[in-house]
Amino acid sequence: MSGRCGRRNMASLLNAFMSENIYIYRIYGVFGVLLFVLASSSSLILTCCGIDEPYYFNVINYGATGDGCTDDSQAFAEAWDAACSSSLESATLYVPPETIFLVDPIIFHGPCNAPIINFLILGTMIAPESPRSWDERDASVWLAFKDMNGLKIDGYGYGVIDGQGKSWWDQSCKYHPHLEECTTLAPTAWKFLGCNESGIRNLKFINSAQTHILLKGCNHFIIQNLIIQSPANTPNTDGIHIQSSHHLLITNSTIACGDDCISIGDYVSDMEISNIECGPGHGISIGSLGKGGNYVQVENIHITNAIFNGTSNGARIKTWQVGRGYLRRVTFEKLVFQGVKNPIIIDQNYCNVRGGCEEQELK
């Protein structure tokens, strides 16, 4: 694991997050946890309000080592199954601080018996470095949450999700087409598939092989207080991608990546995006929509209070030729552009290869 093995001490975690100016003194009633982060201390004081130890499913108790080298996937799967199948009103899967967990690709399945599943991440979760770890597996995803209601994920400013995507970037067909075995598909770090009345907050995502977070088929979902980072020259590393989802909020987040900071696909409605810092990246995009004449249904999208810094685009809408359907009631407002190549761009003749699409007529 080349230097990644061994437990990370809390002082290094505190220093890393203080460099991002994260100080948290909040009470999160919806998650039932009171957390005090003391800047002068390397210890974490966690006081649980109304939740006793039996309500926590600590991955360490299921065999995880947290040394950054040992495969802890089975422990995470067993802890999830125990929390999900419990008869508790609110069960908490707990990833402790001062730990680095190597986790192979997993799908965390619902629905669960517990009406609320809290996923409390105070340590670091890392993906396998080698693409070979996805041999005979779905190469489109690292970790996924499927068919969940009441999933609440919180990192309290300490949790880190590291996709370790460099090996995937180095064999991407987009940037390395000369390679004999280049790849066009790489894992999304986290997918939420059919997750309703759920949310994720206070986590840091870094270096996903491809998109960092994807929502599909989700309703009433909140994303807040995230930091998402990957280098500007990394292929298809969108920050957040949304499709086939409704009643969404994305707020108070900083995104720096190699593609769209936020991208909105088809069948999306009633979405609020606010207080976003984007850059580097390709901006906040709606689309591309209507490829192959698909019938588009996107409406009630509101983007406000966004800062674009050094991005290729700012507010962007892109549709293919001969697309059908509607994109309506879309608002971009209160935007700040700093060193942006195309602050506002609406492209109704989008093509993913410049000059590579012939003119078509709508039938």
Side-chain angles (χ1 to χ4, degrees):
M1 196 65 60
S2 64
R4 295 300 299 267
C5 299
R7 292 176 180 265
R8 178 185 294 187
N9 61 48
M10 181 55 67
S12 68
L13 280 172
L14 280 167
N15 290 336
F17 278 95
M18 286 177 188
S19 69
E20 300 290 347
N21 298 316
I22 294 181
Y23 301 86
I24 301 176
Y25 298 88
R26 295 179 182 171
I27 297 175
Y28 295 100
V30 72
F31 285 78
V33 176
L34 174 63
L35 179 71
F36 298 93
V37 179
L38 302 181
S40 61
S41 173
S42 63
S43 63
L44 183 69
I45 301 173
L46 180 64
T47 302
C48 301
C49 302
I51 300 179
D52 297 325
E53 187 66 24
Y55 291 79
Y56 275 80
F57 297 83
N58 189 334
V59 294
I60 296 293
N61 295 338
Y62 291 84
T65 63
D67 62 7
C69 298
T70 306
D71 180 4
D72 288 323
S73 309
Q74 188 62 33
F76 272 74
E78 291 181 8
W80 174 268
D81 289 343
C84 186
S85 63
S86 74
S87 58
L88 300 170
E89 285 296 313
S90 178
T92 298
L93 183 67
Y94 179 56
V95 179
E98 302 186 66
T99 50
I100 301 174
F101 295 97
L102 172 63
V103 182
D104 274 352
I106 296 178
I107 297 178
F108 297 107
H109 284 277
C112 293
N113 288 338
I116 295 176
I117 297 290
N118 302 305
F119 200 160
L120 180 58
I121 303 171
L122 301 185
T124 297
M125 298 172 64
I126 62 174
E129 285 185 314
S130 172
R132 292 296 181 189
S133 296
W134 277 263
D135 286 353
E136 300 182 5
R137 289 173 165 152
D138 180 1
S140 72
V141 62
W142 170 30
L143 300 177
F145 301 85
K146 188 173 182 181
D147 299 330
M148 288 295 304
N149 292 308
L151 174 64
K152 314 293 183 182
I153 301 176
D154 203 328
Y156 288 96
Y158 281 90
V160 178
I161 310 301
D162 185 351
Q164 299 208 107
K166 187 177 186 307
S167 294
W168 289 96
W169 307 335
D170 289 345
Q171 66 180 38
S172 166
C173 294
K174 183 173 182 178
Y175 291 160
H176 306 282
H178 60 282
L179 292 179
E180 200 169 302
E181 295 186 2
C182 71
T183 52
T184 58
L185 180 68
T188 292
W190 280 24
K191 286 186 179 182
F192 295 90
L193 308 172
C195 295
N196 303 313
E197 304 289 346
S198 298
I200 178 172
R201 61 185 180 182
N202 303 322
L203 278 167
K204 184 175 184 178
F205 285 77
I206 60 173
N207 298 332
S208 178
Q210 204 155 297
T211 301
H212 290 77
I213 297 173
L214 179 144
L215 269 62
K216 183 177 181 180
C218 298
N219 295 288
H220 300 282
F221 199 104
I222 297 175
I223 297 173
Q224 59 182 323
N225 299 332
L226 298 188
I227 295 173
I228 298 175
Q229 292 179 341
S230 60
N233 62 345
T234 51
N236 305 116
T237 53
D238 297 64
I240 302 169
H241 178 69
I242 310 292
Q243 64 186 82
S244 302
S245 299
H246 314 280
H247 310 293
L248 312 168
L249 172 64
I250 302 175
T251 187
N252 298 330
S253 295
T254 301
I255 304 172
C257 60
D259 210 306
D260 294 328
C261 291
I262 300 172
S263 60
I264 302 167
D266 203 357
Y267 300 107
V268 176
S269 67
D270 300 315
M271 181 174 185
E272 176 86 15
I273 299 172
S274 65
N275 300 316
I276 302 297
E277 294 185 21
C278 171
H282 296 180
I284 297 177
S285 297
I286 299 176
S288 62
L289 302 174
K291 185 176 182 179
N294 289 344
Y295 192 86
V296 174
Q297 299 178 70
V298 178
E299 61 182 337
N300 299 330
I301 310 296
H302 183 213
I303 298 101
T304 184
N305 292 315
I307 299 173
F308 301 90
N309 190 2
T311 56
S312 57
N313 305 297
R316 185 185 190 192
I317 298 174
K318 45 186 178 177
T319 60
W320 290 79
Q321 299 180 69
V322 304
R324 300 173 300 124
Y326 56 82
L327 169 63
R328 62 194 183 194
R329 292 190 289 274
V330 174
T331 304
F332 286 87
E333 64 176 356
K334 300 178 182 178
L335 310 179
V336 176
F337 304 105
Q338 300 170 341
V340 176
K341 184 178 179 181
N342 302 301
I344 299 173
I345 180 168
I346 300 175
D347 184 356
Q348 292 184 282
N349 197 15
Y350 176 75
C351 181
N352 57 350
V353 178
R354 187 180 296 275
C357 299
E358 296 182 358
E359 290 290 331
Q360 302 178 50
E361 293 184 7
L362 183 63
K363 297 179 181 179

